[in-house]
Amino acid sequence: ASKIIFLIFAGSMLIPFQCVMLPLVGFASKIGLLSRGGLIFMYMGFQTSMAIIMFHGFIKNIPEELEEAATIRLFISIVLPLMRTIIVTVAVINVMGTWNDFLLPSLIINKQGLQTLPLKTYLFFGQFAKRWDLASAGLVMCMAPIIIFYLFSQKYIVKGITEGAIK
């Protein structure tokens, strides 16, 4: 049963977002998910598949002896520290993908004042005028949080890369 569920998650990654975006927006409007909460719910659904596949590949490399030694109470102190690099890697990939996404928020959030930063910076580029001064400041504001997040998590990613090279 677990292999079937894994294959479903792996197969869902083969379907591009552009194939499901219009039916998704229609369905979301019917059930009232055209809001920030609906956007968060959709991001969780779209990004779960890749996270599960990455965690699955990493956990398969953890020796079974360690898993058997780690009861539920000791899981946090034995297995979780080993998984720190993959947790940070998945977090960086998902945070960067969510933060920089333009298409899904532009389809889901249509109320003024609820837009994400990439949607707001798009407003600086009109048909007849482009406000490069404001757009540049807005784009720097968009980049700053993700760069800070990456800088704080970089040491775990580099540690994971070097550990993978040694094994």
Side-chain angles (χ1 to χ4, degrees):
S2 64
K3 288 186 179 186
I4 294 171
I5 294 171
F6 178 75
L7 288 174
I8 290 172
F9 278 110
S12 69
M13 289 183 60
L14 298 174
I15 303 169
F17 171 71
Q18 291 78 6
C19 292
V20 297
M21 70 181 178
L22 293 179
L24 177 71
V25 172
F27 181 71
S29 66
K30 284 182 185 176
I31 62 172
L33 279 179
L34 296 181
S35 63
R36 281 187 189 158
L39 183 66
I40 292 169
F41 181 72
M42 288 178 204
Y43 276 133
M44 286 173 31
F46 285 124
Q47 295 177 348
T48 301
S49 295
M50 186 173 70
I52 286 174
I53 288 173
M54 290 180 72
F55 277 111
H56 178 266
F58 187 83
I59 289 173
K60 282 182 78 172
N61 291 329
I62 294 176
E64 285 187 36
E65 294 81 21
L66 282 178
E67 290 180 26
E68 291 170 359
T71 63
I72 299 296
R73 196 169 131 213
L74 297 175
F75 178 81
I76 295 172
S77 62
I78 295 175
V79 177
L80 207 56
L82 294 172
M83 294 178 57
R84 188 176 297 142
T85 56
I86 192 65
I87 291 170
V88 171
T89 302
V90 169
V92 167
I93 289 171
N94 287 339
V95 167
M96 286 180 70
T98 302
W99 187 263
N100 293 326
D101 193 20
F102 181 83
L103 183 58
L104 185 60
S106 68
L107 293 172
I108 299 300
I109 298 178
N110 54 10
K111 293 179 185 171
Q112 191 68 13
L114 295 179
Q115 290 101 348
T116 60
L117 282 175
L119 290 179
K120 284 291 192 180
T121 55
Y122 180 70
L123 298 175
F124 294 126
F125 302 99
Q127 181 177 359
F128 301 109
K130 292 174 180 37
R131 297 294 314 261
W132 287 105
D133 53 342
L134 297 176
S136 297
L139 292 171
V140 168
M141 285 177 37
C142 285
M143 290 181 348
I146 202 72
I147 289 173
I148 292 169
F149 176 73
Y150 179 75
L151 290 175
F152 280 114
S153 58
Q154 180 182 11
K155 67 179 178 178
Y156 297 108
I157 294 172
V158 170
K159 182 180 174 187
I161 291 170
T162 56
E163 282 179 3
I166 293 171
K167 290 180 183 178

